[in-house]
Amino acid sequence: MGVFEAIGTDTHEEVTFGIDHPSGLRTIIAIHSTALGPALGGTRFFPYASEEDALVDVLRLSRGMTYKSAAAGLDLGGGKAVIIGDPRTMKSERLLRAYAGVVDSLGGRYITAEDVGTTMDDMAIIRRGTRHVAGLPSTFGGSGDPSPATARGVQRAMEAVADTIWGSRDLAGRRIAVQGVGKVGMSLVERLTAVGAEIVVADVDPAAVDRAVDAHCAKPVEMDDVYGVDCDIFSPCALGATLNEHTIPLLRCAAVVGSANNQLAVAEDAVRLQGREILYAPDFVANAGGVINIAAESQSYSAQRAASMVDAIYDNVKAVLQRAAAEGINARDAAERVAEERIEAVGSLRLRAGATG
Ligand SMILES: NC(=O)c1ccc[n+]([C@@H]2O[C@H](COP(=O)([O-])OP(=O)(O)OC[C@H]3O[C@@H](n4cnc5c(N)ncnc54)[C@H](O)[C@@H]3O)[C@@H](O)[C@H]2O)c1
């Protein structure tokens, strides 16, 4: 597939390619939309098998950020960056600062943050070459690691689903299967056990499972068995696309609510879940806690204010589920409609006012 063919499949505003030979930097930054504000999205540093894979990923992820921020009610657009290569062997100060130069050249239309393969410390280095960085360490006046905020938001989304199905947002006594106990999953397990939920966990990393068992009395299951756990809520907190035509028939839960991005392998999987009468909290609505926390940096950061902004995910999920029920559509489509309508309504106002970021 050619570059323009790939980009032409969606409505991205801008795609920038950056290169720095001495450090080996090869980066692509995709700005999907700035209709609601500057395009915020993390920098993914990953050893893509091909440049085409990297381009497809950055286009898909930047579009996802547009929807996530729009549905969360933020004044942010959607963007994303990828750096092609293995972060363990290629990362250097020169590379990160050369990358910062590419971000800076976009004049604030794109704001970067951490993502897979980049850390808060990397953001502090990038900050030396551009001010268009968010999610900095708290020592830099930033909001720090977004994962606890993401977990808080996922819990609120679970409460919204619980209220919809069982008439109470209380999660005490609910059985919840968490797939992936990394930064978000572990924080979520801690929060859920604190409110009396019963937790089952699975992870490819046995040490992560041991930590969840030792610290939070979680019950471990084998990776392939997690789909079939008899539970109230299945919570994908590992990689994307774990819900697909093979795994959805195995589920024995009333709802799916998790942090992973792009949980559904294909759009039809939302229909598959609906067909099995499993309530789905759309991933980009449920997992917006991290970006909401980062957005709170735009005014002088307050953890308390950020937490109350994240708590609004309860209402956002409720509104999406109510809309899906009222219009007879699946929850994913309802969430996309909510985001698109806001972009249409508020974005046009902003563009008329000539705002640039
Ligand atoms: N960190 C955030 O604030 C944030 C925000 C929004 C979305 N997300 C998404 O949430 C998910 C988790 O993010 P994280 O920051 O906790 O990542 P992480 O890398 O810290 O944790 C992921 C965990 O999943 C495990 N895992 C990987 N493959 C697995 C599999 N097949 N089955 C079971 N476990 C598996 C890993 O061993 C790891 O423990 C990702 O999809 C990420 O994109 C994270």
Side-chain angles (χ1 to χ4, degrees):
M1 193 191 336
V3 171
F4 288 101
E5 194 186 339
I7 297 169
T9 57
D10 209 330
T11 52
H12 288 78
E13 290 178 15
E14 188 173 342
V15 181
T16 301
F17 294 79
I19 190 159
D20 176 59
H21 288 299
S23 62
L25 173 72
R26 282 182 300 157
T27 182
I28 312 173
I29 301 177
I31 296 178
H32 178 258
S33 169
T34 55
L36 292 176
L40 182 119
T43 302
R44 184 162 292 193
F45 200 149
F46 191 78
Y48 290 100
S50 68
E51 291 172 3
E52 185 183 326
D53 284 359
L55 178 61
V56 168
D57 206 31
V58 77
L59 293 171
R60 183 180 60 88
L61 291 166
S62 56
R63 181 179 186 278
M65 288 306 297
T66 297
Y67 280 81
K68 188 183 294 199
S69 287
L74 301 174
D75 293 333
L76 289 170
K80 200 85 182 183
V82 294
I83 297 176
I84 303 170
D86 187 341
R88 287 170 304 180
T89 53
M90 281 184 59
K91 206 183 274 178
S92 65
E93 182 186 349
R94 161 100 196 192
L95 181 144
L96 292 172
R97 293 185 75 159
Y99 170 66
V102 183
V103 173
D104 203 56
S105 73
L106 297 169
R109 281 166 50 71
Y110 169 67
I111 302 173
T112 199
E114 94 178 72
D115 194 70
V116 175
T118 55
T119 63
M120 267 193 297
D121 291 339
D122 297 336
M123 294 306 127
I125 295 174
I126 291 167
R127 177 67 183 84
R128 291 160 72 179
T130 180
R131 60 192 175 85
H132 306 300
V133 190
L136 288 164
S138 48
T139 44
F140 284 71
S143 57
D145 179 6
S147 309
T150 303
R152 183 185 183 100
V154 173
Q155 183 184 6
R156 296 292 168 264
M158 287 180 175
E159 289 168 357
V161 159
D163 191 61
T164 305
I165 303 176
W166 302 295
S168 161
R169 64 187 284 174
D170 190 357
L171 295 172
R174 293 283 161 215
R175 194 154 201 255
I176 301 174
V178 181
Q179 179 188 43
V181 273
K183 293 191 293 290
V184 179
M186 194 67 86
S187 177
L188 180 65
V189 166
E190 186 178 349
R191 300 184 68 91
L192 294 174
T193 44
V195 297
E198 189 193 329
I199 307 298
V200 180
V201 296
D203 199 299
V204 272
D205 177 3
V209 172
D210 288 347
R211 281 196 295 278
V213 171
D214 294 344
H216 308 297
C217 302
K219 181 174 178 286
V221 288
E222 291 302 319
M223 283 217 318
D224 289 344
D225 295 339
V226 71
Y227 299 103
V229 170
D230 190 0
C231 61
D232 295 303
I233 302 176
F234 176 73
S235 184
C237 296
L239 306 175
T242 61
L243 295 172
N244 54 49
E245 60 179 322
H246 306 294
T247 58
I248 292 172
L250 304 175
L251 295 175
R252 291 169 68 204
C253 58
V256 171
V257 188
S259 77
N261 282 312
N262 303 312
Q263 289 163 26
L264 308 179
V266 291
E268 281 166 70
D269 291 320
V271 181
R272 284 196 182 94
L273 285 171
Q274 200 180 19
R276 292 220 42 220
E277 295 183 2
I278 294 172
L279 202 59
Y280 172 59
D283 46 13
F284 65 85
V285 184
N287 73 11
V291 75
I292 294 172
N293 192 51
I294 285 175
E297 279 183 12
S298 65
Q299 296 135 34
S300 166
Y301 181 73
S302 141
Q304 205 183 354
R305 183 166 46 83
S308 78
M309 286 165 69
V310 171
D311 288 346
I313 288 178
Y314 177 89
D315 299 316
N316 297 347
V317 171
K318 277 273 193 148
V320 163
L321 296 178
Q322 279 161 3
R323 176 139 187 193
E327 296 183 12
I329 56 176
N330 68 61
R332 184 181 172 279
D333 287 350
E336 290 214 341
R337 278 188 198 175
V338 167
E340 282 162 4
E341 283 170 9
R342 183 161 177 266
I343 292 167
E344 181 97 12
V346 186
S348 61
L349 265 182
R350 196 173 172 280
L351 291 176
R352 253 207 315 273
T356 55

